Amino acid sequence: MTSEAPVRGLDNVVVASTRLSAIDGTAGRLIYAGYAIHDLAEQASFEEVAYLLWYGELPSAEQLGAFRGRLAAERALSAAELALVRGVPAGGHGMDAMRTLISGLGQLDSEADALDSAAVEQIGVRVLAKAPTLIAAWDRARRGLEPVAPEQSLGHAANFLYMLHGEAPAPEAARAFDTYLVLLAEHGLNASTFAARVAIGAGADVYCALVAAIGTLKGLLHGGANQKAMETFLAIGAPEQAASYIDAMLARHERLMGVGHRIYKVEDPRVRHLRRCVKTMAGLNGDAERWQAIADAVGGVVATHPHFTKRQLNPNVEFYSAPLLYSLGLPLDLFTAAFALSRTVGWMGHIREQLADNRLIRPKSDYVGPSVHPFTQLAERN
Ligand code: ACO
């Protein structure tokens, strides 16, 4: 038996080729299918970005209309899907509900096992369209409220807020959430996307791969950090408390959630757009202004405190996502579910790439247990 040193965390190991996105963590650059994230965040809608990532080019007006029509056709829930929502326990975390809902959606889909490209593409459209309706209906059910059916005249982002709150969002709020969805849609071989590739690469169906991704995204080092970042901002309570709170936290050897990244060693290029969206929300309501001020104060400490500067730790995508989602009225335990609503695009893109050129993903482990010794009979063991 040979022994090889493991690459812990698969740091810098390249295990797939992709046409979906490229990240330069030193220059702080991100592109989706050949477009700078800055241009997409400022000018494209989520539907346009989903189309770009799935079909490799930005849609024409006609293609976009047809794509929006397909999403609209899938957005409403059938009686069986509504029964599924009612059957998911009201207790527990929003990501647990999300995992169960997508799994249940698969059980209700007679084509769930299909792995041919047309069927997989259709499942992608179905899940992207229905996931916001399912999670909004579940959240309303746990609050004792009836589900709100999707509104055909609203886009993807606005529809989710409408179905969650029961009233159409202000256009600025809808645009801010749309930008959030654009920014979170895809990000290379992050942990949840890798999980989806492993599952689909083993021959599991698309819903299984999505459930694997959702389960992984819940992790606090990954998508679960947005909720934890907001809980930290809530605990800090006022901008002037930021520095002392962080000092105390570091003294307890705790991590500041929403900060640090495996790849980015400078500011994550998505951060500036999320900061702008939080500012938009602050213009709409005074409460959001408070969370913006606290996040800015925490960001100021991160930019100057030696613990963070020495280790090249900067606010990541979760940092301003937290006050943004909070000011959009999402309950804390739906923050990571909101991330999943967007990242479904990236997961499906990678699932399709993996299927197009599949090889079972099967790395090795380095055995560090005892060497072989004689078997001990049960009666002789103490
Ligand atoms: N707060 C304080 N210290 C930190 C933080 C943090 N958020 N992140 C890393 N460090 C420190 C570590 O303690 C370590 O210090 P040491 O060298 O003295 O031991 C050093 O920085 C390097 O940390 P690693 O864990 O080796 O870095 P890694 O690349 O594995 O971790 C990660 C990246 C998981 C994102 C980490 O920065 C972290 O835990 N951040 C907080 C959680 C978070 O925000 N996750 C969301 C990431 S973005 C996304 O997934 C969508």
Side-chain angles (χ1 to χ4, degrees):
M1 262 180 285
T2 56
S3 174
E4 292 167 47
V7 181
R8 289 186 68 238
L10 296 182
D11 210 346
N12 283 321
V13 176
V14 177
V15 301
S17 298
T18 183
R19 299 184 67 83
L20 295 166
S21 66
I23 308 164
D24 181 334
T26 313
R29 269 200 291 269
L30 170 63
I31 63 169
Y32 286 177
Y35 290 91
I37 195 64
H38 303 304
D39 291 336
L40 296 171
E42 281 161 14
Q43 297 177 65
S45 67
F46 177 62
E47 288 92 324
E48 284 172 274
V49 165
Y51 190 101
L52 168 69
L53 288 166
W54 284 358
Y55 308 111
E57 55 189 28
L58 284 169
S60 65
E62 197 183 326
Q63 287 166 328
L64 181 60
F67 185 59
R68 286 201 161 119
R70 286 181 71 193
L71 290 172
E74 289 284 356
R75 203 167 269 138
L77 302 182
S78 67
E81 288 157 357
L82 276 169
L84 165 68
V85 171
R86 293 201 183 93
V88 175
H93 194 271
M95 278 302 270
D96 300 340
M98 181 98 191
R99 187 192 62 215
T100 309
L101 288 164
I102 299 306
S103 185
L105 194 62
Q107 279 191 271
L108 293 171
D109 184 349
S110 58
E111 301 286 306
D113 285 335
L115 289 175
D116 62 279
S117 68
V120 169
E121 194 249 3
Q122 182 54 34
I123 292 173
V125 172
R126 184 175 306 131
V127 174
L128 187 66
K130 279 195 200 295
T133 320
L134 288 165
I135 198 71
W138 174 78
D139 181 67
R140 290 179 68 82
R142 71 176 168 167
R143 288 186 277 142
L145 300 171
E146 285 301 310
V148 171
E151 167 56 54
Q152 296 287 5
S153 65
L154 296 177
H156 196 74
N159 241 312
F160 175 63
L161 297 173
Y162 168 69
M163 292 186 287
L164 190 68
H165 299 314
E167 57 184 43
E172 298 88 343
R175 178 63 193 144
F177 188 55
D178 193 81
T179 304
Y180 169 82
L181 295 177
V182 165
L183 293 168
L184 275 288
E186 158 61 16
H187 207 236
L189 219 51
N190 56 86
S192 57
T193 300
F194 185 55
R197 278 205 183 237
V198 170
I200 206 76
D205 69 48
V206 174
Y207 290 94
C208 290
L210 291 173
V211 169
I214 291 167
T216 308
L217 189 72
K218 187 185 175 192
L220 300 185
L221 299 185
H222 188 19
N226 54 10
Q227 175 180 348
K228 292 292 163 200
M230 193 63 222
E231 287 170 2
T232 303
F233 297 153
L234 287 162
I236 290 174
E240 53 278 13
Q241 306 292 336
S244 57
Y245 185 95
I246 292 169
D247 276 336
M249 218 195 64
L250 293 174
R252 295 191 299 270
H253 302 287
E254 288 173 12
R255 288 184 178 208
L256 181 57
M257 305 310 271
V259 170
H261 199 277
R262 174 62 63 80
I263 296 180
Y264 292 118
K265 298 306 165 200
V266 294
E267 184 174 281
D268 179 325
R270 299 166 294 182
V271 167
R272 73 166 90 150
H273 300 287
L274 291 161
R275 195 189 286 122
R276 167 172 59 81
C277 292
V278 171
K279 203 167 164 203
T280 301
M281 292 309 296
L284 291 183
N285 75 66
D287 201 36
E289 207 173 331
R290 178 174 171 212
W291 303 116
Q292 181 196 1
I294 293 174
D296 285 347
V298 173
V301 175
V302 171
T304 51
H305 195 298
H307 176 91
F308 301 101
T309 53
K310 203 168 78 186
R311 295 172 177 80
Q312 298 180 294
L313 301 169
N314 301 286
N316 61 45
V317 72
E318 307 287 38
F319 190 85
Y320 281 102
S321 293
L324 174 61
L325 297 174
Y326 195 74
S327 52
L328 287 167
L330 270 71
L332 288 172
D333 76 334
L334 287 197
F335 281 25
T336 311
F339 187 160
L341 297 181
S342 168
R343 187 55 59 84
T344 297
V345 173
W347 293 334
M348 284 306 309
H350 281 269
I351 285 170
R352 289 169 65 185
E353 284 190 345
Q354 185 70 31
L355 283 171
D357 180 29
N358 188 44
R359 183 139 201 260
L360 176 74
I361 298 174
R362 206 309 185 185
K364 294 199 295 181
S365 50
D366 173 35
Y367 178 69
V368 292
S371 53
V372 179
H373 43 280
F375 183 80
T376 317
Q377 296 298 327
L378 183 59
E380 291 162 21
R381 290 177 225 156
N382 48 31

